[in-house]
């Protein structure tokens, strides 16, 4: 919280962690704009662990994950792929337009954006991790995304569409496992 923080506003990450051997430690890790990883301990409060990511400048992209250790020393992360997972937030960049019916942000690491848009990968259907933020308040972490368009559309940045896969336990609007975003507009007219 908050899902879309204002510039220089800290963000608190909450997680429910439990284990038969107990939880001996819990930490939140983060990286800003693809930079080095930092961490902070999380404290148990009202049944959930909470940790704070320090304030960041406007438009900063923050990737994060949580790591917990049980009483026997076993470590688990959420999302499961840790530094390679898709839990992100972007500090408010002023681009969210809530005057329209709906607003959707798709957040990915800079490295995965470059991989997905490399000329040699434009026709790939490989899924990569992302976060989707809907109407600046509903967040879907560690989702999967791939490009969607024709062979002609994928080489034109104004026409590239997206195929988004939601987790079975957190479907879009409670019913949709997949969302297809078509930006082709029937030609070079993005929609």
């Amino acid at each position: 919280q908050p899902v879309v923080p204002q510039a220089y506003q800290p963000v608190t990450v909450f997680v429910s962690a439990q284990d038969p051997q107990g939880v001996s430690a819990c930490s939140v890790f983060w990286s800003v704009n693809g930079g080095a990883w930092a961490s902070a301990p999380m404290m148990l409060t009202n049944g959930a662990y909470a940790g704070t990511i320090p304030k960041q400048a406007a438009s900063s992209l923050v990737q994060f994950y949580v790591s917990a250790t049980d009483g026997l020393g076993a470590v688990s992360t959420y999302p499961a792929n840790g530094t390679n997972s898709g839990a992100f937030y972007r500090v408010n960049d002023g681009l969210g337009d809530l005057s329209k019916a709906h607003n959707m942000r798709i957040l990915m690491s800079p490295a995965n954006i470059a991989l997905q848009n490399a000329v040699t990968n434009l026709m790939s259907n490989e899924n990569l991790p992302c976060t989707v933020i809907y109407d600046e308040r509903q967040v879907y972490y560690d989702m999967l995304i791939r490009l969607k368009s024709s062979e002609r559309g994928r080489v034109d940045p104004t026409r590239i569409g997206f195929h988004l896969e939601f987790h079975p336990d957190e479907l879009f609007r409670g019913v949709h496992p997949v969302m297809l975003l078509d930006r082709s507009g029937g030609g070079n007219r993005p929609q």
Side-chain angles (χ1 to χ4, degrees), residues 28-68:
V28 60
F29 291 78
W30 68 89
S31 167
V32 180
N33 298 323
W37 287 87
S39 67
M42 300 180 81
M43 301 299 161
L44 184 60
T45 307
N46 297 325
Y49 287 86
T52 301
I53 297 174
K55 56 190 176 182
Q56 304 296 328
S59 301
S60 295
L61 177 69
V62 179
Q63 182 179 8
F64 65 96
Y65 70 95
V66 171
S67 177

Side-chain angles (χ1 to χ4, degrees), residues 104-106 127 130-132 143-146 148 162-166 176-181:
M104 182 172 288
R105 293 177 182 264
I106 300 173
N127 288 312
C130 74
T131 290
V132 169
M143 294 181 42
L144 296 174
I145 187 172
R146 66 178 171 83
K148 174 196 159 312
F162 300 99
H163 173 107
L164 295 163
E165 294 183 18
F166 292 81
H176 302 289
V178 172
M179 177 187 291
L180 304 176
L181 299 176

Side-chain angles (χ1 to χ4, degrees), residues 118-132:
V119 174
T120 54
N121 290 335
L122 283 177
M123 292 308 297
S124 173
N125 285 331
E126 177 184 7
N127 288 312
L128 296 172
C130 74
T131 290
V132 169

Side-chain angles (χ1 to χ4, degrees), residues 3-189:
V3 173
V4 180
Q6 297 302 312
Y8 303 106
Q9 180 181 19
V11 169
T12 303
V13 175
F14 299 92
V15 68
S16 175
Q18 52 188 319
D19 188 273
Q21 284 76 41
V23 177
S24 63
C26 196
S27 297
V28 60
F29 291 78
W30 68 89
S31 167
V32 180
N33 298 323
W37 287 87
S39 67
M42 300 180 81
M43 301 299 161
L44 184 60
T45 307
N46 297 325
Y49 287 86
T52 301
I53 297 174
K55 56 190 176 182
Q56 304 296 328
S59 301
S60 295
L61 177 69
V62 179
Q63 182 179 8
F64 65 96
Y65 70 95
V66 171
S67 177
T69 306
D70 75 3
L72 298 177
V75 177
S76 181
T77 59
Y78 183 82
N81 288 329
T83 59
N84 295 317
S85 61
F88 299 91
Y89 67 84
R90 184 174 299 280
V91 178
N92 196 342
D93 53 11
L95 297 178
D97 187 354
L98 296 178
S99 69
K100 297 187 177 188
H102 296 288
N103 182 68
M104 182 172 288
R105 293 177 182 264
I106 300 173
L107 305 176
M108 298 173 65
S109 71
N112 279 341
I113 291 171
L115 174 67
Q116 187 176 54
N117 292 300
V119 174
T120 54
N121 290 335
L122 283 177
M123 292 308 297
S124 173
N125 285 331
E126 177 184 7
N127 288 312
L128 296 172
C130 74
T131 290
V132 169
I133 299 174
Y134 183 66
D135 287 341
E136 305 291 280
R137 64 179 182 272
Q138 176 65 44
V139 63
Y140 299 90
Y141 293 116
D142 205 34
M143 294 181 42
L144 296 174
I145 187 172
R146 66 178 171 83
L147 298 181
K148 174 196 159 312
S149 188
S150 69
E151 72 281 359
R152 290 188 180 104
R154 289 192 188 195
V155 298
D156 182 347
T158 64
R159 294 181 60 190
I160 290 177
F162 300 99
H163 173 107
L164 295 163
E165 294 183 18
F166 292 81
H167 288 284
D169 59 344
E170 195 173 14
L171 303 174
F172 183 68
R173 294 187 173 173
V175 294
H176 302 289
V178 172
M179 177 187 291
L180 304 176
L181 299 176
D182 182 355
R183 298 173 56 229
S184 66
N188 290 329
R189 300 183 310 271

